[in-house]
Structure formats: structure tokens, C-alpha cells
Amino acid sequence: MMDFQVVVLAGGTAKKLAPLVSKEVPKALLPVANRPVLSYVLELLESSNLKDLIVVVEGEDAALRVGGWISGAYVDRLHVEVAAVPEDVGTAGALRAVAHHLTANDVLIVSGDLVSDVPPGAVAATHRRHGAVVTTLLCYAPVSGPSDTGSSAGKDKVKKSRYNIVGLDPTRQLLLHIAAGAEVEKDIRVQKNILRAVGQLEIRADLMDAHMYAFKRTVLQDVLDQKDTFHSIRQDVLPYLVRTQLRSEISANGLHKVEDNANGRVSSQNYVTWMSQHREIAPSAYQELLALSPRSPENALRTHKCCAYIASKSKYCARLNSIQAFSDINRDVVGEASHLSGYSFSSQNNIIHPSAELGSKTTVGPQCMLAEGSQMGDKCSVKRSIIGRHCRIGSNVKIVNSVVMNHVTIEDGCLVQGSVICSNVHLQERVVLKDCQEFGVCSSCCRSHL
Amino acid sequence: MDLRRAPRTVIDPKVRQVGFVTPGAAPPPARSHSVATDACSTSPPAPDLSLPGSSISPVMIPPPRHASADGLSSLTRPAAAVHVPASPLRHDTVQIPIGSYNPSEILLGSSPMISPSSRLDAGSEFSDEVPTSAWLSRRGSGKFASSFPASSGEMMAMKTTGGGGGGNTPKSSLTTASVVKTLPGVSEKDGGALIEMQNEGTSKPQKQKTSKAERRAIQEAQRAAKAAAKEAGGVKPSASSGGAIPALKQGKVVKHSPQKKDGPQVTAPVTTSEKKVVDRLPEKDRKKDVPHPRMQFDDKHRVEKAKRRAVVNQSEARNRVELFRHLPQYIHGTQLPDLESKFFQLDPMHPSVCKVGLQYLSGDISGGNARCIAMLLAFKEAIGDYTTPPEKALVRDLTAKISSYVSFLIECRPLSISMGNAIRFLKNRIAKLPHTLSESEAKSSLQSDIDRFINEKIVIADKVIVRHAVTKIRDGDVLLTYGSSSVVEMIFLYAHELGKHFRVVVVDSRPNLEGQALLRRLVAKGLNCTYTHINAISYIMHEVTRVFLGASSVLSNGTVYSRVGTACVAMAAHAFQVPVLICCEAYKFHERVQLDSICSNELGDPDVISMVPGRKYLNHLDNWADNENLQLLNLTYDATPSDYVSMIITDYGMLPPTSVPVIVREYRREHLWI
């Protein structure tokens, strides 16, 4: 399969999503439009003909649950191997744990919480084409927060942490600088030698690291072995590789390794030596390496390339890493990015399961989803919301811009707006919930006016 | 003979004066002066002949029309051109030349026994690195081959041994959650592609069973159905014929399963599953469908056919220039994203071939030599990973495989002539493999053949060319080059290393501006350079004393096929009576004859000539495609007539353009042989 191996980092019970995610529902199984979020990644990979996957889950329990779900849903379709790693090892730690399973030339690492339609092949192809050490997917972050209601309370904060400061070369293919959004407050330090080598550096702040990486396997393993303090791929490994691309210890080490380590990299290394042998013959092939280090070919061998693939604006790409993102993604999957959901929409642009029961004068607007076995009383109105399985909703209930999970009971006269209601919650009569993002910590609730 | 022609140099600038050089002994500078006398020089070259024991004898080569005036038939003209230097004096030096063009051998039509030996000399001169590199690469690929197929098995084995190992985090073991496709035809939500694949797999043998007559009958029926549909005046002929054909077919061939019938008929958007179907056609059919390298793209029928089996989704550009409709032209910028998104679906392609294809498509690799080397190395890797499927012969199956790779590369970018020659060489080597060889032996023999080709035909050839060409550079020269030719760059750098004092004029042109990269490298090495665009050629040509140009190919009528603009530069140089030296490796020669740059060319992205980088306000041609009256033409190559070429420097020596057919004829066999 083009000599790529795929690792899906499905996470565990993330603290950030605390009320939504619990022991019973690990992050990977969090429902987005009534489907576990992990299924979006798996189906994206499947559509790209990637059928041999390694899914890494934090925690034994979570791994069992995720594994059970995958084997139920994807039997005969995917060849998935689930690995459990201890909690809080971070993404780098998780990779360390499965590193000995990796044998292919390159490794594609995808976060399990990615909801996107960017073809992974594009990242892989860019990676291959440049012979890069790492290629990352950058995308334009989707609009955050509900667009019509004026809730911009946490918006700025969210935005900052989502975006990255990215430095690109003029062709927008080489990744020259990357910093997480949280570091924006500080000054940006750009290395002089990189600037000198590339001539021009474009710094952008409107791109988000989508956490889909293609790594050269040997380099990844070297970095993970040598730097055992590295905790996260996004915050440690990637910036490290980008920082050291002109004075690469890694590829130099890799060179020595190649001699005694019989692996697939020999061939590509061979190519480089061929090319450098008659560098003068093939200047165009070598142009970019020369651009990076115009001094000498030995120097060119001591550099490695970090590339970026920038998804076009028409592609949808979001990560479920906050509660705000959770409600955004839910909204988008039945809304503007509806092709991702895999459901067929009715002519009213909504999905109502045939087994759902609607009372008289109840309206379900566009961009809504009503899953199987849900009952609604009379004179209800549902707008831009997702209602899970087997919910019982009384009369005169208004649900706007919300996500209601499974087995929720909402009694008469409630108003739910811009909220997320977890499974098994019981809302009594005339509860008003507005912009309450994590309702349902206690599984039953009485009247409350927020 | 020389004396008889000597006066002509004075009156007719068309007469070129070319020296055959045997660089075995480094020629003294005085000699090099005399060799490259300008065409306009008034002094007859007679004094040169009197040099005692000189290895150089300048030759007067008449241009074609004078030759015919002399009563020589056009066929013998090259021979006659060669005839001139065959003086007894030359015969003494026959053994000395290193890989240089040796006229006496060719004239005598003697056995090629001598020429390989002289070529071997060339090889041994650089032998210090030849064996080592070949050895290294072979070892590398061998390792690769051994490690690659085992990878999946290894993983399975590791699964059981998980949990152990060092490191500060415990290694985890994998548990298989689901197993892939054990049952055929299990229908899941997105299982469509998979199922169709399996259907194809089961129905394939049936397809092969149909005899020729049957297939013919089907074809006839299809044609009839199509005609009927057209006559019926269906608004959507594809739909109606699609309906008609299966019905007809059912009558004729009962064997087919219902799915199969629908499969190839689908003319609707090219889905991935359909591509699989196409790719798995029996070898014979595939061969028939492979477009000829020089397919005429105005032939709608064949284009349609080729498109159906294409891997890269290509949408043809609008507003194409009428004269160039026979050349492929696609909307640029649509191919790369499409191919990239399908990266993992290109299963039949070897990853390295895929990579090279992507690099061609994106323009990361350009230039004849670089493309050829990249392609050959990719093929080498693919051969290393190749295993013959059961019940197939390596010779046939590998040839078919290479053909499919080549057609993929053609889709990414049309082949250059040099690549065509290299492919021909490789296929010839495969065909000539002795049947006694085992698979691994055959593979390693092919791999070393590829190494040898790269080494001898490109690396060493370039070194020989550089040695030859440097003799033409004198102190105080002003050398002009156009675009960015790798060999010319090597010549300049070598001459600079030899301590010659000269100035370089780099002439460049939009849209590629390849000269800038060359300029940067030359300046970095400390050469004195001038950079200008081709608009200023007539001004700058005054100062120039020699023009060095690279070539994509040299055709057998002496036409130089090269980067567009070369003909313009050569013509300007000719008008200013500046000698034009073409540097081209002999493996790029082709026996084709071409008189213009229309019948065979490559069209680039028309958008790049309408947009000027850094000049946003020059947007008059925005949305040009909407205007039917406007067509943009971005040619990639042009043909320089041999009249404007003073000399071609190849690895066989320096020769006049009229002698190209001799090289093509005499060294053809050897080219393929090596």
C-alpha cells in the first residue's frame, strides 16, 4: 500500500471534554451526529483505500470499548489492530509504545478526533514527492461558535489555541516555522539560517495544524528514542524537527544507521547519493535542497525537509478537542459539511429516522437530525439540533442549536438553546437552558433557570 | 578537396568549419584557437593542416544545398561530410581517441569492434567510481527487496511478542479488532468499491474465455446498438446505448454475469472502482489501449479510449490553439490534487514510480537528464521489488509492467525523447534476458544494466562532453547560454576551474525563468555573469563570441529539439555570425526527422504566460478562457534547423549536424546493447 502505515491516535478519556467524556464513553466514541467520532476518521481512511490500521487508545478499559465497537462496526471492512497504552503518556508516548510495530517506510499519523474530508493521500503524496521527513496537514480552521446567536464569550480564547503560527516558504510547501497558538503572546523567534537559506518566509496565523502527519519512520523512531522527554507530537516532535531542519542530527544519524540497518530507506538514500554524485547533471532535481543550503552538497545531506500540505478552503477540517468544537462539529456535520455524515438528507434538509414519532404540530427544521426511537410531543420545534436515540420529549419544547444525546427525557415546556445535553439526563418541566455547553453532569436535573 | 572549398568560406557564410578532435592528448591552446575559427573569418584554414602530426583536422562541411550541387545524393551526404577528414594522417590516430567520433571507422563500415573498445577506454578513464557506485546501489536494492515483502509477516509475528522490550514506556501489544474481507460480496455502507473489485476478480477468467469471434460479435453488436441509438435521436445517447448493449449482449454471450455486463459500459464519472476494473484488464487488451507516445489528441475516439483507462483524471483545457490540437493539453492545477487524493488507490503502481510521476507533474523534476535518471532509478527500484506472478514469464510480465508504469508517467507529463530511448533500452534488455537466468539473477542483471546506462550514457557522457567543449573556450571569450542546461553548466564550471577567463551571458525567458537558478549557481562559483531576457538577444549578441546550448534531442536531419527559445537564440547568433555549439549526449539522438516544432511538441500551462508574478495589476488576461476568440499558446520545445547549428558536441566527439544520422545509424545497435 504505497509503503505507508497508518496509526490512529484515538486518545482516551480526555480531561478537556470532561463532562462529555466518561469511563463509559471514551473520547473516540463520542457521538457526532449519532456516530462515534472515530468513525469519521476510519471512513476517511477507508475511502482512501487504507485498510490496515493501528488504533492506539489510552487506557485498557477505553481500548476494550473502542476495540469492541470497531470489531462490531467494521467487521470485514477494515483490518484494525487496537493497542492500549497507559494514560497520560501523550501522543509521543503512545507512538513510542507502538513504534516496534512500525515497519513501513513512512507512517501516517492521524488523530482520532479529526472530522475532515481532506484526502490523506494528498498528505502522503506531498510527503513522498518531496522526500520529506515530516509533512503536516494545515487547514483553514472552520468558523467557531454559533454563527447566529451572539455567544462570543469564549470565542477569542478558543481561536487562539486552535490556530498556529506557521512559517512557509514562498511556494508554500516547506514548513519553516511552527508554533502553537498559545505561544503567540510571546515573540516569534525565527532562525536566521532558515531565513537566509530560503530567502523569504511567509508567516501565517490563519492555519490550524490538523494533526495528520506523515513521518519518515526511521526519523520518527530516532527522535522518539533520543528525546525521551518529548510528550506530544504537535508540541515537541514537530517543532523540534522543523527547528533542526538545517542542522539535522537526525538525518546524519540516519545515514549511519542505513549502512548497518537493512531497511527500506537504503533505496531512497541511494537516490540521494546518485543525485548528489551528478548533482551538476540534475540541477533542477536538486534545486530545492540547494536552495536550503547553497554551500555544499555535504551540507545538503545534513538537512532534512519538513513540508506542509495546505488543504483548500473548500475542504472541511475540524478537530474535536473542546466542547465548543464538539457543538460546532455537530452543527456542521448536519449543516454545511453534510456529505461527511454519511446520511441521506430528506427534502427538508434534515434526517428523521422512520421510527421517530412526532406529535401534531411539531416542526423539525432543516439541518436537524432525529435518531431512531425518539418521541416528541405536540407543538415542539427543533431547529439546527441533533437529537439522539430513544429520547422522550414532551410538548411545547423548543430545541435550538443544541445537541441532545441518547436516552434523554425532556418534559413539557422546556427551552434548550445552544446547549449540549448528555445521555440519560432528565429535564423536568419548563427548564430553560441557554448556552449551557456541558449539561448533564448529574444525570437527573430539576428546574433550573440559567 | 579542402583547397577547392576554401574560397567559399570567404563568400558564403553558410559554410561551417568544424574540427574533429581527439582529446586523447590535451591539445595545445594554439590549436584550439584555430579549430573554432569563426565562420566569417577570411583566412582559409589551410595552415592548420600543415601542423605536423596534429590530431585535429578542420573540415569544411558544405551546407546541404552545396552538397547537392556537387552532385552528391542526399543519402550519401553525411558520408561525404565524413569522408573529408579521412586522410592518411588521421589513420595514425585511430587508436587514440577516447570515445570521440571517429569518422574512419564509420566510413569504412568496418566492424564495430573498434568502437566499443574506444568506448571502453572512456569507461576505464572514470572507472574508479563506476564499479563502486554500481556495487553500492545493487547491494542497497537487494536489501530493500529482502526487507520489503517481509514487512507484513513481521508485523504479525510481532503481535504475539508484544509487551516486552526496552524503552521507558512499556510496549503494548496489538489486538486485532476486525479482519478484512473474508466473505465476498458483503455489502456494507461504503463497501461498494470492494465488492466490485471482487466481482471483477471472479469474472475475469470468463472474460478471457471469450474467443476472438465472440468478442468481435460483441463489438459489432455494440456498434450497431450505438448507431441505432443515434438514429433514434435519443437526447442522451450514452444512456440509450448503455441500455441497448446489455440486452444485445445477453443474447450473444450467455456466460457473462449481470454485473460484468454493466461494468465496462459505465461511461459515467470515473469512479475508483471502475478504474480498478480497467486496470485489471488482461494484458493483451491493455497493450492495445496504451496510447502511442505520440498519440494524436485530435482523434476524439482514441482520446476517449485513453481517457477511460487513465489513472490521472484529466480535464482538457478549453480554447486550444487550432494548430496544436493534436497535442495533449489539460487544465493545469487539476491534475496534481486529483492524483494526490488518489495516492493510495494507485495500487498497481510502484511507490517509487508514483513518486517520480508526482514529481513530473508538479515540476519538481524537469530537464531531460534529471527526468531520465529519476525514471530509471524508479524503474530500478520497481524491478527490485518485482516478483513474477505464478504462471507468467518474467520477460513478458515485466515488460507489461514497465509499459504500464510508462503510460502512467506519460499521463503525468509527456515523455521526452531521451526517456523514450532509455525505455527502449530497458525493454530491449528485458527481452534479451537469457531464459536460463533465475528471477533474482535476471533482476540484478537488469538493475546493473540500468546503473550502467545512467553511468555510461549520462554521467560519463557528460564528462566527455565537458572535456570536448572546454577546448572551445578561450580566454576573453563571452559565452552565451539560454535557459538552464546541465551540461552547459558543467562546461562553464569546468572551464572556470581550469582557470580560463571568460564571461557568461545567461539568457532567460518567461515563464519558467530557469536561467535564474543557473545564474545563481554560476555566480556562487565565482563566474562573471550577465543576465538578460531573450528580448535583448539582438543587443547582447554583439559582444558574444560563442553560444553554448543544451538540447532535449537531436534529430537525424540535424534539427535540434530543445527548450522553446533556443531556435531564436541560434538564429540570432547565426545572423551575427557567432558559432552555435549544441551540447547533447548521444543517447538523446533520435532517428526521427522533424522539420517544424508543430507536429511533436509539448504544451505547457497557458495560464502561466498570462500571469506575471509580482505584477498584480497586469490582469488584462484574467478569465481569458471565457473568451472564445482568444487562445493562449505555451509551447515547451522548438526545433532549431541545422543551418543555424555550427557544431554538436556529443560523447562521440564534436560533429557537424549533418553527421547525426551516422551516429544514430552506427551506434544504434550499441545503444541498445551497451
Side-chain angles (χ1 to χ4, degrees):
Chain A
M1 197 84 52
M2 287 295 157
D3 217 359
F4 262 90
Q5 256 180 316
V6 185
V7 178
V8 179
L9 300 175
T13 51
K15 301 242 159 33
K16 254 191 192 169
L17 295 163
L20 297 179
V21 172
S22 61
K23 280 270 182 291
E24 289 79 45
V25 186
K27 184 178 168 189
L29 300 184
L30 206 60
V32 171
N34 295 332
R35 259 172 59 189
V37 65
L38 187 60
S39 70
Y40 290 89
V41 170
L42 296 186
E43 251 147 61
L44 177 70
L45 294 170
E46 191 190 7
S47 70
S48 297
N49 203 17
L50 289 165
K51 297 198 162 102
D52 287 314
L53 317 173
I54 299 175
V55 175
V56 186
V57 186
E58 284 186 1
E60 292 285 341
D61 286 350
L64 273 180
R65 281 173 203 283
V66 172
W69 170 75
I70 290 174
S71 55
Y74 288 94
V75 69
D76 297 332
R77 281 168 65 189
L78 295 175
H79 183 175
V80 179
E81 312 198 40
V82 178
V85 296
E87 298 196 31
D88 295 326
V89 290
T91 47
L95 274 183
R96 242 173 241 137
V98 295
H100 60 289
H101 294 294
L102 302 177
T103 51
N105 221 353
D106 295 280
V107 187
L108 190 69
I109 295 166
V110 189
S111 172
D113 58 3
L114 183 69
V115 178
S116 169
D117 53 358
V118 179
V123 180
T126 308
H127 183 69
R128 267 292 154 74
R129 181 156 67 82
H130 291 286
V133 158
V134 59
T135 302
T136 177
L137 169 64
L138 300 176
C139 55
Y140 297 93
V143 189
S144 154
S147 44
D148 47 355
T149 59
S151 81
S152 55
K155 204 168 159 186
D156 291 344
K157 211 170 63 192
V158 170
K159 229 178 181 176
K160 260 181 200 158
S161 65
R162 265 212 223 168
Y163 289 104
N164 291 92
I165 300 296
V166 176
L168 299 167
D169 75 320
T171 62
R172 294 185 185 170
Q173 286 174 328
L174 299 182
L175 185 64
L176 304 171
H177 180 81
I178 189 155
E183 300 164 33
V184 179
E185 304 296 329
K186 294 182 268 171
D187 300 336
I188 299 175
R189 283 163 187 268
V190 179
Q191 281 149 292
K192 236 189 228 165
N193 57 352
I194 289 181
L195 258 180
R196 204 183 307 128
V198 83
Q200 209 175 342
L201 178 72
E202 182 181 321
I203 292 188
R204 304 180 57 156
D206 58 342
L207 293 170
M208 179 187 93
D209 182 358
H211 218 304
M212 185 193 283
Y213 308 108
F215 275 101
K216 193 169 269 297
R217 177 183 57 90
T218 47
V219 171
L220 179 66
Q221 285 174 341
D222 281 353
V223 172
L224 291 177
D225 285 348
Q226 288 168 13
K227 313 276 173 185
D228 41 7
T229 51
F230 280 4
H231 188 75
S232 150
I233 296 175
R234 188 172 64 88
Q235 285 166 359
D236 300 322
V237 178
L238 181 63
Y240 170 76
L241 285 176
V242 171
R243 233 174 20 241
T244 58
Q245 56 186 317
L246 283 189
R247 40 183 175 80
S248 164
E249 297 139 36
I250 299 304
S251 66
N253 289 342
L255 261 183
H256 301 310
K257 275 232 161 118
V258 161
E259 301 300 331
D260 45 38
N261 201 10
N263 60 25
R265 235 189 109 187
V266 175
S267 52
S268 67
Q269 208 59 58
N270 202 2
Y271 182 80
V272 170
T273 46
W274 258 119
M275 283 312 223
S276 64
Q277 196 179 350
H278 26 80
R279 183 186 57 82
E280 302 96 331
I281 290 184
S284 68
Y286 235 66
Q287 214 162 300
E288 274 188 84
L289 271 181
L290 281 177
L292 278 176
S293 66
R295 277 169 295 273
S296 65
E298 304 90 66
N299 214 350
L301 284 178
R302 299 217 38 184
T303 63
H304 58 245
K305 277 207 264 183
C306 300
C307 293
Y309 175 81
I310 302 177
S312 70
K313 265 185 176 153
S314 58
K315 298 281 184 193
Y316 185 79
C317 188
R319 283 190 64 206
L320 206 170
N321 49 8
S322 67
I323 289 161
Q324 179 65 51
F326 176 75
S327 54
D328 288 345
I329 291 171
N330 266 299
R331 180 198 64 209
D332 292 336
V333 163
V334 293
E336 59 191 31
S338 56
H339 57 281
L340 280 172
S341 65
Y343 298 102
S344 53
F345 283 75
S346 71
S347 53
Q348 280 86 38
N349 200 14
N350 56 17
I351 311 154
I352 299 175
H353 198 269
S355 64
E357 292 171 25
L358 299 179
S360 65
K361 287 190 181 169
T362 289
T363 56
V364 179
Q367 305 188 1
C368 280
M369 184 168 174
L370 206 57
E372 62 202 46
S374 286
Q375 300 169 354
M376 296 193 79
D378 302 339
K379 290 184 188 166
C380 292
S381 142
V382 182
K383 282 178 192 160
R384 307 168 125 244
S385 299
I386 291 172
I387 295 172
R389 298 183 182 87
H390 305 289
C391 292
R392 283 190 293 133
I393 297 170
S395 304
N396 261 327
V397 176
K398 270 184 91 173
I399 301 176
V400 182
N401 276 331
S402 299
V403 180
V404 177
M405 292 195 192
N406 303 335
H407 302 285
V408 174
T409 308
I410 301 177
E411 292 188 5
D412 297 351
C414 288
L415 170 68
V416 181
Q417 192 175 359
S419 307
V420 178
I421 298 175
C422 293
S423 295
N424 303 321
V425 170
H426 187 111
L427 292 187
Q428 289 183 346
E429 279 177 45
R430 281 192 307 233
V431 174
V432 177
L433 290 177
K434 271 190 185 167
D435 302 329
C436 173
Q437 286 186 331
E438 50 225 58
F439 198 75
V441 188
C442 45
S443 59
S444 76
C445 213
C446 40
R447 316 164 61 127
S448 59
H449 293 266
L450 292 161
Chain B
M1 218 170 166
D2 283 326
L3 281 174
R4 189 170 59 81
R5 275 188 194 150
R8 241 186 222 142
T9 37
V10 185
I11 40 170
D12 191 351
K14 279 266 154 61
V15 173
R16 285 174 298 273
Q17 175 185 358
V18 179
F20 286 99
V21 175
T22 51
R31 228 176 278 159
S32 73
H33 274 281
S34 65
V35 169
T37 322
D38 288 353
C40 58
S41 73
T42 47
S43 63
D48 283 328
L49 276 179
S50 63
L51 279 172
S54 76
S55 54
I56 302 157
S57 55
V59 192
M60 309 310 304
I61 306 292
R65 71 190 77 122
H66 293 293
S68 52
D70 287 351
L72 294 165
S73 80
S74 62
L75 271 175
T76 57
R77 198 186 309 145
V82 166
H83 204 289
V84 179
S87 60
L89 207 110
R90 295 275 311 165
H91 275 294
D92 302 336
T93 62
V94 160
Q95 308 304 328
I96 303 169
I98 297 172
S100 81
Y101 167 67
N102 201 329
S104 59
E105 289 164 23
I106 293 154
L107 208 219
L108 298 172
S110 62
S111 60
M113 304 294 278
I114 302 167
S115 52
S117 72
S118 65
R119 214 176 33 70
L120 274 180
D121 286 350
S124 61
E125 195 182 332
F126 305 105
S127 62
D128 47 340
E129 60 182 298
V130 176
T132 51
S133 59
W135 176 78
L136 264 175
S137 54
R138 207 173 309 147
R139 191 179 65 137
S141 55
K143 268 181 192 171
F144 185 68
S146 65
S147 72
F148 179 65
S151 62
S152 60
E154 221 172 86
M155 190 152 160
M156 294 299 163
M158 275 177 164
K159 206 166 48 180
T160 56
T161 61
N168 47 2
T169 48
K171 307 275 188 236
S172 68
S173 60
L174 299 179
T175 49
T176 307
S178 74
V179 190
V180 79
K181 47 179 174 183
T182 42
L183 301 167
V186 175
S187 81
E188 284 278 314
K189 227 191 298 170
D190 286 329
L194 193 117
I195 292 158
E196 216 160 313
M197 264 172 63
Q198 282 160 348
N199 285 341
E200 170 55 27
T202 52
S203 61
K204 198 164 70 176
Q206 288 175 351
K207 169 117 194 182
Q208 278 165 342
K209 252 181 244 165
T210 58
S211 72
K212 205 169 189 178
E214 275 174 312
R215 259 181 280 139
R216 183 154 197 167
I218 295 168
Q219 233 173 25
E220 218 89 288
Q222 282 174 342
R223 224 168 276 153
K226 233 175 231 169
K230 228 173 230 172
E231 268 175 57
V235 186
K236 9 172 204 173
S238 66
S240 60
S241 67
I245 292 161
L248 276 169
K249 230 173 165 187
Q250 215 144 19
K252 298 269 180 197
V253 192
V254 202
K255 267 183 225 162
H256 282 263
S257 62
Q259 291 119 314
K260 181 61 204 166
K261 242 160 277 155
D262 296 334
Q265 304 296 335
V266 178
T267 50
V270 201
T271 59
T272 53
S273 58
E274 198 205 325
K275 230 155 281 137
K276 284 258 160 62
V277 172
V278 175
D279 276 338
R280 287 188 179 201
L281 280 178
E283 235 55 89
K284 211 172 156 195
D285 290 21
R286 187 190 296 176
K287 206 174 250 171
K288 237 187 280 169
D289 273 356
V290 166
H292 189 261
R294 286 202 288 151
M295 197 173 97
Q296 301 294 297
F297 278 77
D298 44 0
D299 184 347
K300 285 232 174 65
H301 186 67
R302 299 191 61 180
V303 169
E304 203 57 32
K305 223 172 172 184
K307 221 182 215 173
R308 241 177 291 153
R309 49 157 296 291
V311 180
V312 187
N313 194 7
Q314 293 165 326
S315 42
E316 277 180 43
R318 294 185 292 166
N319 294 11
R320 292 154 70 195
V321 181
E322 192 59 44
L323 202 54
F324 290 92
R325 271 188 193 261
H326 59 284
L327 301 173
Q329 185 171 22
Y330 305 111
I331 296 178
H332 277 250
T334 57
Q335 291 164 288
L336 186 62
D338 180 67
L339 188 62
E340 279 185 338
S341 63
K342 280 195 306 213
F343 184 68
F344 288 114
Q345 279 129 27
L346 297 171
D347 250 353
M349 292 304 144
H350 189 268
S352 57
V353 176
C354 218
K355 174 179 173 179
V356 171
L358 282 166
Q359 284 171 331
Y360 288 170
L361 194 52
S362 62
D364 288 352
I365 294 187
S366 63
N369 284 337
R371 278 167 74 196
C372 194
I373 290 176
M375 179 190 71
L376 285 174
L377 289 173
F379 284 169
K380 188 179 144 195
E381 222 170 286
I383 289 173
D385 290 347
Y386 172 81
T387 46
T388 319
E391 295 174 24
K392 278 193 177 168
L394 178 133
V395 174
R396 288 173 180 246
D397 190 57
L398 190 57
T399 312
K401 228 156 186 141
I402 297 284
S403 299
S404 72
Y405 294 158
V406 169
S407 58
F408 169 72
L409 293 181
I410 291 176
E411 281 167 37
C412 294
R413 195 181 156 185
L415 291 188
S416 66
I417 289 170
S418 58
M419 289 161 75
N421 283 345
I423 291 164
R424 204 160 50 162
F425 157 77
L426 181 60
K427 283 193 176 169
N428 201 26
R429 291 305 303 174
I430 296 173
K432 290 240 172 79
L433 279 176
H435 290 285
T436 51
L437 285 185
S438 73
E439 187 183 307
S440 59
E441 282 170 343
K443 275 160 55 176
S444 60
S445 133
L446 287 176
Q447 288 179 327
S448 64
D449 280 339
I450 290 177
D451 281 345
R452 220 140 43 83
F453 186 91
I454 294 175
N455 231 325
E456 293 183 5
K457 292 289 166 196
I458 304 178
V459 179
I460 293 177
D462 278 347
K463 288 182 178 166
V464 174
I465 289 173
V466 168
R467 296 278 163 88
H468 284 314
V470 159
T471 61
K472 299 290 175 217
I473 299 178
R474 294 172 296 186
D475 280 345
D477 263 348
V478 177
L479 311 174
L480 184 142
T481 188
Y482 174 73
S484 172
S485 161
S486 51
V487 196
V488 172
E489 181 185 350
M490 288 165 81
I491 292 168
F492 290 162
L493 293 180
Y494 186 63
H496 183 69
E497 274 167 29
L498 289 184
K500 300 201 177 189
H501 296 285
F502 58 95
R503 194 157 67 85
V504 176
V505 177
V506 178
V507 178
D508 207 353
S509 76
R510 285 191 57 229
N512 286 351
L513 300 176
E514 294 153 317
Q516 293 189 352
L518 173 71
L519 183 76
R520 182 175 171 163
R521 290 190 292 267
L522 290 181
V523 170
K525 286 272 160 65
L527 274 80
N528 188 1
C529 293
T530 305
Y531 177 80
T532 180
H533 277 204
I534 198 163
N535 327 11
I537 191 81
S538 60
Y539 163 75
I540 204 79
M541 201 52 94
H542 283 290
E543 326 170 358
V544 174
T545 57
R546 254 163 212 51
V547 174
F548 281 90
L549 296 171
S552 171
S553 176
V554 178
L555 308 176
S556 64
N557 60 343
T559 302
V560 174
Y561 186 68
S562 187
R563 163 74 56 202
V564 67
T566 305
C568 174
V569 172
M571 200 158 64
H574 182 260
F576 284 88
Q577 279 143 9
V578 179
V580 176
L581 299 103
I582 303 285
C583 308
C584 181
E585 299 86 354
Y587 86 105
K588 290 176 174 175
F589 285 21
H590 200 274
E591 73 266 17
R592 188 195 300 168
V593 170
Q594 203 173 312
L595 301 174
D596 53 41
S597 42
I598 299 167
C599 61
S600 168
N601 210 322
E602 190 184 327
L603 298 179
D605 180 8
D607 280 324
V608 289
I609 57 172
S610 72
M611 284 183 295
V612 185
R615 300 277 174 98
K616 288 261 162 50
Y617 56 89
L618 283 176
N619 53 1
H620 313 294
L621 289 182
D622 282 0
N623 306 322
W624 62 272
D626 298 333
N627 188 346
E628 277 179 19
N629 296 328
L630 177 62
Q631 295 111 23
L632 299 190
L633 178 65
N634 180 9
L635 279 179
T636 309
Y637 297 106
D638 67 9
T640 310
S642 58
D643 294 346
Y644 303 138
V645 178
S646 319
M647 181 158 72
I648 296 173
I649 307 177
T650 79
D651 31 338
Y652 296 120
M654 300 190 255
L655 35 123
T658 43
S659 300
V660 172
V662 181
I663 295 276
V664 171
R665 174 159 42 86
E666 291 299 319
Y667 290 88
R668 252 291 284 296
R669 202 183 310 131
E670 186 213 336
H671 264 279
L672 298 176
W673 255 50
I674 286 216

